[in-house]
Amino acid sequence: MIILKPVLAICLIAITISMLLCLYRLIIGPSMIDRLLALDTLFLNATCLIIVLGIFWISTNVFEGALLVAMLGFVSTAALARYFTTGHVID
Protein backbone atom coordinates (compact mmCIF):
# COMPACT_ATOMS: atom_id res chain seq x y z
CA MET A 1 0.00 0.00 0.00
CA ILE A 2 2.96 2.32 0.57
CA ILE A 3 4.13 2.02 -3.04
CA LEU A 4 0.62 2.46 -4.42
CA LYS A 5 0.20 6.11 -3.35
CA PRO A 6 3.17 7.56 -5.32
CA VAL A 7 2.23 5.53 -8.40
CA LEU A 8 -1.34 6.83 -8.23
CA ALA A 9 -0.02 10.38 -7.78
CA ILE A 10 2.08 9.99 -10.93
CA CYS A 11 -0.98 8.64 -12.77
CA LEU A 12 -3.03 11.64 -11.63
CA ILE A 13 -0.37 14.02 -12.91
CA ALA A 14 -0.14 12.20 -16.26
CA ILE A 15 -3.92 12.19 -16.73
CA THR A 16 -4.11 15.88 -15.83
CA ILE A 17 -1.43 16.75 -18.38
CA SER A 18 -3.28 14.68 -20.97
CA MET A 19 -6.50 16.53 -20.18
CA LEU A 20 -4.77 19.88 -20.60
CA LEU A 21 -3.41 18.83 -23.99
CA CYS A 22 -6.89 17.67 -25.05
CA LEU A 23 -8.34 20.98 -23.90
CA TYR A 24 -5.72 22.80 -25.99
CA ARG A 25 -6.69 20.73 -29.06
CA LEU A 26 -10.37 21.36 -28.33
CA ILE A 27 -9.85 25.12 -28.35
CA ILE A 28 -7.22 25.44 -31.09
CA GLY A 29 -8.16 22.45 -33.31
CA PRO A 30 -8.06 23.40 -36.99
CA SER A 31 -11.17 21.45 -37.99
CA MET A 32 -14.41 20.42 -36.35
CA ILE A 33 -13.43 16.74 -36.50
CA ASP A 34 -10.27 17.47 -34.49
CA ARG A 35 -12.37 19.24 -31.89
CA LEU A 36 -14.83 16.34 -31.72
CA LEU A 37 -12.02 13.83 -31.23
CA ALA A 38 -10.47 16.05 -28.56
CA LEU A 39 -13.83 16.20 -26.75
CA ASP A 40 -14.17 12.42 -26.89
CA THR A 41 -10.64 11.97 -25.55
CA LEU A 42 -11.37 14.53 -22.84
CA PHE A 43 -14.37 12.48 -21.71
CA LEU A 44 -12.20 9.36 -21.65
CA ASN A 45 -9.54 11.14 -19.60
CA ALA A 46 -12.17 12.45 -17.19
CA THR A 47 -13.47 8.92 -16.69
CA CYS A 48 -9.94 7.66 -16.03
CA LEU A 49 -9.29 10.53 -13.63
CA ILE A 50 -12.42 9.72 -11.62
CA ILE A 51 -11.47 6.04 -11.43
CA VAL A 52 -7.90 6.78 -10.32
CA LEU A 53 -9.19 9.24 -7.72
CA GLY A 54 -11.58 6.57 -6.43
CA ILE A 55 -8.66 4.17 -6.01
CA PHE A 56 -6.53 6.91 -4.44
CA TRP A 57 -9.24 7.83 -1.92
CA ILE A 58 -10.15 4.14 -1.31
CA SER A 59 -13.78 4.94 -2.02
CA THR A 60 -16.28 3.08 -4.16
CA ASN A 61 -18.77 5.94 -4.25
CA VAL A 62 -17.17 7.69 -7.22
CA PHE A 63 -17.37 4.78 -9.66
CA GLU A 64 -21.01 5.50 -10.46
CA GLY A 65 -19.94 8.99 -11.43
CA ALA A 66 -17.29 7.54 -13.73
CA LEU A 67 -19.94 5.39 -15.37
CA LEU A 68 -22.19 8.41 -15.91
CA VAL A 69 -19.35 10.43 -17.44
CA ALA A 70 -18.50 7.55 -19.79
CA MET A 71 -22.13 7.18 -20.91
CA LEU A 72 -22.51 10.94 -21.37
CA GLY A 73 -19.30 11.02 -23.39
CA PHE A 74 -20.46 8.24 -25.69
CA VAL A 75 -23.88 9.75 -26.31
CA SER A 76 -22.57 13.27 -26.88
CA THR A 77 -19.85 12.08 -29.26
CA ALA A 78 -22.33 10.02 -31.26
CA ALA A 79 -24.83 12.89 -31.39
CA LEU A 80 -22.23 15.46 -32.43
CA ALA A 81 -20.78 13.14 -35.08
CA ARG A 82 -24.27 12.59 -36.49
CA TYR A 83 -24.92 16.34 -36.46
CA PHE A 84 -21.66 17.14 -38.27
CA THR A 85 -22.25 14.51 -40.97
CA THR A 86 -25.97 14.95 -41.67
CA GLY A 87 -26.88 18.34 -40.20
CA HIS A 88 -29.44 16.97 -37.74
CA VAL A 89 -29.44 14.56 -34.81
CA ILE A 90 -32.90 12.99 -34.97
CA ASP A 91 -34.57 11.96 -38.22
Side-chain angles (χ1 to χ4, degrees), residues 15-87:
I15 293 170
T16 305
I17 291 171
S18 177
M19 288 180 79
L20 289 173
L21 291 173
C22 287
L23 187 64
Y24 173 77
R25 176 55 64 191
L26 184 66
I27 294 170
I28 304 297
S31 70
M32 197 56 74
I33 302 299
D34 290 332
R35 290 184 172 130
L36 180 63
L37 289 173
L39 181 67
D40 188 40
T41 308
L42 196 59
F43 272 117
L44 180 67
N45 285 333
T47 304
C48 292
L49 184 69
I50 292 170
I51 289 172
V52 171
L53 280 174
I55 295 170
F56 189 76
W57 291 331
I58 311 171
S59 173
T60 59
N61 296 330
V62 296
F63 295 123
E64 290 87 6
L67 183 63
L68 287 173
V69 169
M71 287 190 301
L72 181 67
F74 172 74
V75 170
S76 67
T77 301
L80 283 172
R82 169 105 176 169
Y83 177 73
F84 291 144
T85 56
T86 63

